[in-house]
Every structure is written in structure tokens, then in C-alpha cells.
Amino acid sequence: MSVDESVYIAQVAELGESREVIATEDVRALNGTKLLARGARIDRAALDRLLRHKLLKPIDYTTSVKDAVDQATLVTVAAELMVRDTETAALLRCMRDESFPQQAFRRVRLLPVIRNKLSVARHLYPPLFEHSLWVTLAATVIAEQLGWSEPQLEILATAALTHDIGALHIEATRLHRSERLQAEHWRQIHTHSRIGYLILEEFPQYRPHISRAVLEHHERMDGSGYPKGCSGSGISPAGRVLSFADFAVATAQRMGLRHMFTITKTQPRAFDREVVGVLAKAMQRFGDVLQPAVSRVDVDTLRDVLTTVSEILSAAPPKAPPESAPPRLVRNIELLRRAIAHMQMMMHRTGFALTDTDSWIEMLKSDPELHAELESLLQEAHFQLQGLLLELRRRTHPGAEGMAGCEHLRSWMATAEVVVERMRERLPYPLQPQQA
């Protein structure tokens, strides 16, 4: 897999409209043709010329952003994040003092290529840039509590800061959060960790440990992650911490720390227990920073949504496809089965069995915390159903080979999409699978 630069070049040119982006040497095409002279500005006016040719060197090797992100920038922005009125900031303040941002970001290894990419993220995609800083802070404080050495912390901090640089190379990152992901966007999202890995692998300062952790940041201990489906000891220590820190920050930003730990409890094999334990203990110790459990959906609506979820999970295609089924169809049915079993187990582990709901749902009326927990679980079920449908659509597009006999699967998908849309309308926070 090679890194396609076309999307990223367009973003560098866009940045050049508001910041000074200059060619540090002649920019040449693969055939040697000079496209831009040293000192030329990189902006929209230069974009067509750059996109019409395959470049001899990646654009970051031949350009420089004026006042690019450096360690001082990272410390300043991270310090601003730490004083925000958010649960995550409050928890980090309880765990570390005001010197923490400086200690965390002095560890990162910043080559010019990475400074350029962080500058693009900072000015064009502030949420992505801030997410990377939050993940660096979260991953670092966890690893410090685990007693990691300084060299280990340097690897982790750099991997955390750069874990989403691959997202700058895909169209899906440019979507507004209100736009709905399509199957092609989902395919792109699944490549971003590998793209980041390939970029970092080019530099001895980042390989093999930092690049590997970036590749692994969506892997899960139980093998349910991507891009390789690694599990257990197949994931590096830095990858394990980064995987949970990225999940924890992204989920807490969407729905708060209570929701994040509710979901973590339903996936006990997905993350390293020791890593999760650090944050769990901190939340127990500093629980007063958490916002009180508040439900936004009435009990009758939750009952209806829960019944709908139960029905769609029960209506999934049969457990075993016929022996004559094509291998691709068998794999897709297996994917569906695993996802359904995971969602059913998620509900079961928290006491919300999908059968005989009437016997316990009345309890919600007198227990606000239980009410809010069910709401969180249903929002997570909505989130997971969306992701499952996007992955199945990616695998079962009309041109996919070996999909004969998948009518039952496609029929279930069509019904499930109606359910997802209904859940979107009835639950308070319409969610999309995270884009990075």
C-alpha cells in the first residue's frame, strides 16, 4: 500500500491561503520536471500543477509552513485544554499538576514533516488537532502511573501525538460531523492507521516502535479491531495504552466519562485491564468531577427503542450459512454474528437482558442512574449498528465478488438501516462512527 498524497496536497494548498507555505527546494515531478521553484508559495494557484503530476518526493519533504507547530505550541495549546471546564480536563487536573503539559510534550520527537502535518491539522481541523493532544495527555498519564521508563514514555507520547496523521490523507476527514458516512468513507477510515504507519516508517526516528503503535491504535485485545485484527501479546505495550486512550478520549468527548466507562465495562476483553484500571481508579478517587447521571429520554421511548433493537438483532440471518455458500458470504455472516453476539452480551453484562424487558424496565422510573445507563447503552448500540452496516455495505457492494446468495443478508441490512434511522430520531445525540 502506497500513500496517496492528492487529498493532503489539496489541504496544504488550502493552508497556504491563510499561512505562508513555501517550497524549500525545487518541487519536481517523478519524471524530473520542475513544477515549482524553490521559494515558491504553495497555495490554490499552485494546486492544479501539483495534482497533475506524481511528485518525486512527498510534499512535506519539499515545503515548510511558517511558524509551524513546535513543542512550545503543543505545550501552550495543551495547557489551554487542561483548564477547560470539561470532565476530562478536570480529571487530568486531579491526576497531575499544571506542569504536566510541558512534561508530556517535551518528550515528543518532531521532525519537519510532522510539524507540517500538525500545522495542517491545527489550522484546518482544530478538533482533530485537539483530539491528538488530549490522547497524548491521557496516554502519558496512564503510562506514568504504570511506571514506564522515560524512553518508553517518549515513544508513547510521540505515537499518541501522531496517531491520526493518516486521517489528513483521506476525504472522509473533510466531512462535517453532521454529514452521514458512506461505505466509501468507512473504507477510507479503515486505512488511516496504516497510512500513518507508512508515513512514519520512512524515518529511523519513528521506526519501529512509534510507527507500530500508530498502526495498532484501533486494535483490540480480543482481536476485534483493525487493520490486522491483532490480539493480546500481538499488540505492543504502547499500542495497548494508545488504543484505550484514543477510545476513552473520543468516547468521553462525545458522551462524557460516565458513558465511556459504562461502555468499557461491557467490553472487558477489548482493552488491557491494567491500562483501564489506572483510569478507573482515578475516577473512583476523583468521582466528584463527574457530571451527575442525567437521562434525556423518557422511559416509554427507551422501552420502544430497546424493543426495536431486540427485534432487529433477533432477525439477523441464520447462524450457519449453507455449505454451498461462497467464502466471502460466509465471512460476512460470521462478521454479523460476532457483532450481534457482542451487542447482546453488552446488554446482558449490565443486567439489561433483551428478553422480558417489562419485568425490569419499570425500575428505571425510580432509579435515575440506571435510567441514564440504559440510555448510554442504547446510544452505543446505535453507534455499533451504524458501524456494522457501513462495514457490511463496504463488503457487499454490487460489484463484490462471491456474494451470490446474500439476499437474506441484504434484506436484513435494509431493515436495520430503517431501525438505525429511527434510533437517530429518538435518541438525544445522533452519533456517527468516529472518523479517526
Side-chain angles (χ1 to χ4, degrees):
M1 175 183 173
S2 60
V3 176
D4 184 346
E5 284 237 300
S6 57
V7 171
Y8 181 67
I9 290 172
Q11 301 190 90
V12 172
E14 186 65 29
L15 179 62
E17 292 295 308
S18 58
R19 316 287 298 184
E20 190 174 276
V21 182
I22 299 294
T24 55
E25 61 181 75
D26 292 346
V27 180
R28 295 184 179 275
L30 191 60
N31 63 7
T33 301
K34 184 163 74 173
L35 304 177
L36 294 171
R38 178 181 177 181
R41 287 202 60 156
I42 311 297
D43 53 21
R44 290 176 193 155
L47 181 58
D48 184 59
R49 200 177 321 161
L50 293 172
L51 292 182
R52 276 192 278 115
H53 303 269
K54 184 172 179 60
L55 301 187
L56 179 63
K57 298 179 182 179
I59 192 69
D60 283 323
Y61 290 41
T62 59
T63 59
S64 175
V65 179
K66 185 177 181 180
D67 298 325
V69 168
D70 57 13
Q71 286 178 317
T73 308
L74 297 172
V75 171
T76 299
V77 177
E80 292 170 356
L81 296 179
M82 286 276 289
V83 298
R84 285 187 181 174
D85 185 20
T86 66
E87 287 184 323
T88 305
L91 184 62
L92 285 174
R93 289 196 299 270
C94 291
M95 298 176 74
R96 289 298 310 269
D97 59 27
E98 62 184 16
S99 67
F100 179 48
Q102 184 171 6
Q103 293 170 354
F105 288 99
R106 76 182 180 194
R107 297 182 174 116
V108 300
R109 306 172 190 175
L110 284 182
L111 294 183
V113 166
I114 300 306
R115 293 183 64 195
N116 276 7
K117 291 190 184 299
L118 291 174
S119 298
V120 171
R122 182 189 183 194
H123 296 293
L124 299 187
Y125 303 104
L128 180 65
F129 179 69
E130 291 184 4
H131 171 77
S132 296
L133 269 62
W134 278 123
V135 173
T136 306
L137 293 169
T140 300
V141 77
I142 289 171
E144 286 178 343
Q145 295 288 318
L146 293 173
W148 283 26
S149 68
E150 194 60 32
Q152 289 175 306
L153 291 170
E154 289 177 7
I155 289 170
L156 179 62
T158 307
L161 181 64
T162 60
H163 76 280
D164 273 342
I165 60 172
L168 298 172
H169 288 253
I170 61 175
E171 284 283 356
T173 302
R174 305 174 75 171
L175 292 176
H176 189 273
R177 288 184 178 272
S178 63
E179 294 182 73
R180 198 169 304 179
L181 291 174
Q182 303 300 323
E184 173 57 22
H185 300 139
W186 191 243
R187 185 196 66 76
Q188 293 175 16
I189 289 168
H190 271 243
T191 67
H192 84 276
S193 55
R194 191 177 293 276
I195 292 172
Y197 164 80
L198 291 172
I199 291 168
L200 295 173
E201 274 285 289
E202 294 296 315
F203 303 96
Q205 296 91 331
Y206 297 135
R207 66 173 185 262
H209 303 299
I210 293 169
S211 56
R212 178 180 174 181
V214 168
L215 180 66
E216 295 171 334
H217 78 271
H218 279 293
E219 299 289 3
R220 297 292 184 259
M221 293 292 286
D222 59 4
S224 63
Y226 68 86
K228 291 185 173 182
C230 298
S231 62
S233 60
I235 304 173
S236 68
R240 297 183 198 185
V241 174
L242 183 51
S243 165
F244 178 65
D246 179 52
F247 162 83
V249 168
T251 308
Q253 286 175 330
R254 285 191 292 127
M255 296 299 296
L257 283 170
R258 285 186 186 275
H259 173 88
M260 185 273 292
F261 263 98
T262 294
I263 303 310
T264 302
K265 286 188 299 183
T266 70
Q267 304 177 33
R269 297 184 181 89
F271 301 104
D272 186 297
R273 291 185 180 181
E274 196 175 25
V275 172
V276 175
V278 171
L279 218 51
K281 289 176 183 176
M283 288 182 62
Q284 290 173 354
R285 183 180 176 189
F286 306 113
D288 56 336
V289 307
L290 301 183
Q291 296 176 3
V294 177
S295 55
R296 295 171 173 80
V297 180
D298 62 72
V299 170
D300 289 336
T301 298
L302 288 183
R303 186 204 310 270
D304 292 344
V305 172
L306 185 63
T307 300
T308 302
V309 170
S310 178
E311 289 173 352
I312 193 61
L313 296 185
S314 301
K319 291 185 177 181
E323 293 183 5
S324 59
R328 184 185 293 267
L329 177 57
V330 173
R331 290 194 295 270
N332 289 335
I333 294 292
E334 283 300 313
L335 169 70
L336 177 60
R337 285 177 57 193
R338 288 195 303 270
I340 296 297
H342 174 78
M343 281 184 265
Q344 290 172 332
M345 185 59 70
M346 176 179 76
M347 303 299 293
H348 179 73
R349 283 194 177 111
T350 50
F352 295 107
L354 291 173
T355 57
D356 193 25
T357 57
D358 288 339
S359 64
W360 52 261
I361 203 163
E362 287 298 317
M363 296 167 54
L364 302 183
K365 295 179 179 179
S366 58
D367 191 332
E369 191 167 334
L370 193 66
H371 188 160
E373 185 168 323
L374 177 59
E375 189 174 311
S376 289
L377 288 170
L378 289 175
Q379 287 160 343
E380 183 65 18
H382 179 216
F383 182 76
Q384 291 186 19
L385 274 172
Q386 283 181 295
L388 173 62
L389 287 171
L390 284 166
E391 178 62 11
L392 287 172
R393 273 192 234 125
R394 183 181 73 84
R395 292 175 171 221
T396 61
H397 61 85
E401 297 179 1
M403 289 305 298
C406 70
E407 291 78 13
H408 191 179
L409 176 59
R410 286 200 172 111
S411 174
W412 180 87
M413 290 167 58
T415 303
E417 288 185 14
V418 174
V419 168
V420 164
E421 187 58 35
R422 193 180 308 161
M423 292 175 74
R424 182 193 303 277
E425 294 169 355
R426 306 204 73 181
L427 294 175
Y429 294 117
L431 303 176
Q432 289 198 21
Q434 66 192 65
Q435 298 183 17

